[in-house]
Amino acid sequence: MLLAHDARAQLSGSAGLVSNYMYRGISLSDDKPAARLALNYDGTTGWFAGGQVVTGQLAVETHRSAQWTGYAGYAQRLPSGVSWETGVSAYAFPNNSSWSFRELFVGLAGDSLSGRLHYSPDYLGVGERSLYGELNGGWVLGPRVQAFWHGGYYYSLDNAQSNRVEARLGLASAYKEWRAQVSLDMVRLRGGTTTDIYGKTTGSRGDVRHVVVLTVARAF
């Protein structure tokens, strides 16, 4: 989600557990629980940066390993109240550096809706140029309950079989420094049977996989 920048710099973070580390509709923890630590910095002039580390496990790995994500960029609010941003993200898999990749992104955000477009010249090191577009939104249901939604589309410029649609619907709650959320993650499977670092997926075109994800974290 895009962040609205205040008049002062802010450093924040969180540490928690997730029942399944879903990334763009695909599990990067082999459908197993994972621990996650995140840190974010928002500067006074619009510059921002941050990152996270997750104890992930791709389907071809025999044990858990660290998965690192870092990002940096610049954002500003327009007189209309809409914010824009641009930046770069980097994803690192220390156990197999050939999977590491980088992306450029641009985005817009309003009070309850945000969107981003990402481009990678070599997504996950598989030689695919990719575009990923996403929309995110939410609304308050009560003093401590918020609903949220997310939709995304991954498009490969080099391999149509990699294209996929994914979405997420969920509820989030907070009490003091504690955060919890439950979501239903959905992804439309590719046609036929394929095996890659994500694992084996079998289904006809249009089949949808559903995964319920629980997350508990403490903010600091």
Side-chain angles (χ1 to χ4, degrees), residues 19-181:
S19 64
N20 194 341
Y21 178 39
M22 300 296 294
Y23 177 74
R24 298 179 181 176
I26 301 295
S27 175
L28 293 191
S29 61
D30 198 21
D31 290 324
K32 299 173 183 177
R36 178 167 54 190
L37 175 66
L39 189 64
N40 310 286
Y41 172 79
D42 296 292
T44 57
T45 59
W47 294 100
F48 62 90
Q52 70 172 17
V53 58
V54 178
T55 57
Q57 182 176 350
L58 299 183
V60 296
E61 294 183 298
T62 59
H63 59 279
R64 294 178 181 274
S65 62
Q67 298 176 7
W68 295 86
T69 305
Y71 64 88
Y74 182 78
Q76 281 294 320
R77 187 184 300 275
L78 301 174
S80 63
V82 175
S83 297
W84 64 267
E85 69 170 358
T86 185
V88 60
S89 301
Y91 303 80
F93 301 82
N95 277 13
N96 193 326
S97 59
S98 64
W99 296 338
S100 301
F101 67 101
R102 294 175 297 278
E103 286 185 329
L104 301 174
F105 63 82
V106 293
L108 291 172
D111 292 335
S112 59
L113 180 68
S114 68
R116 265 185 180 177
L117 180 64
H118 310 251
Y119 169 74
S120 174
D122 186 12
Y123 186 74
L124 267 175
V126 296
E128 293 181 9
R129 297 168 299 158
S130 69
L131 290 171
Y132 176 76
E134 62 175 311
L135 287 175
N136 305 281
W139 57 95
V140 176
L141 300 180
R144 292 179 181 170
V145 181
Q146 181 178 6
F148 62 89
W149 61 269
H150 158 85
Y153 182 71
Y154 174 86
Y155 176 76
S156 172
L157 282 71
D158 302 296
N159 181 12
Q161 287 296 309
S162 295
N163 298 346
R164 62 180 179 272
V165 178
E166 50 91 15
R168 174 179 298 155
L169 297 172
L171 295 173
S173 182
Y175 178 72
K176 294 184 178 180
E177 292 83 14
W178 291 95
R179 309 286 185 267
Q181 70 178 44

Side-chain angles (χ1 to χ4, degrees), residues 166-203:
E166 50 91 15
R168 174 179 298 155
L169 297 172
L171 295 173
S173 182
Y175 178 72
K176 294 184 178 180
E177 292 83 14
W178 291 95
R179 309 286 185 267
Q181 70 178 44
V182 56
S183 66
L184 175 65
D185 288 52
M186 298 161 283
V187 59
R188 190 184 69 174
L189 300 178
R190 290 167 287 178
T193 301
T194 61
T195 301
D196 54 23
I197 63 175
Y198 293 136
K200 189 175 183 180
T201 58
T202 304

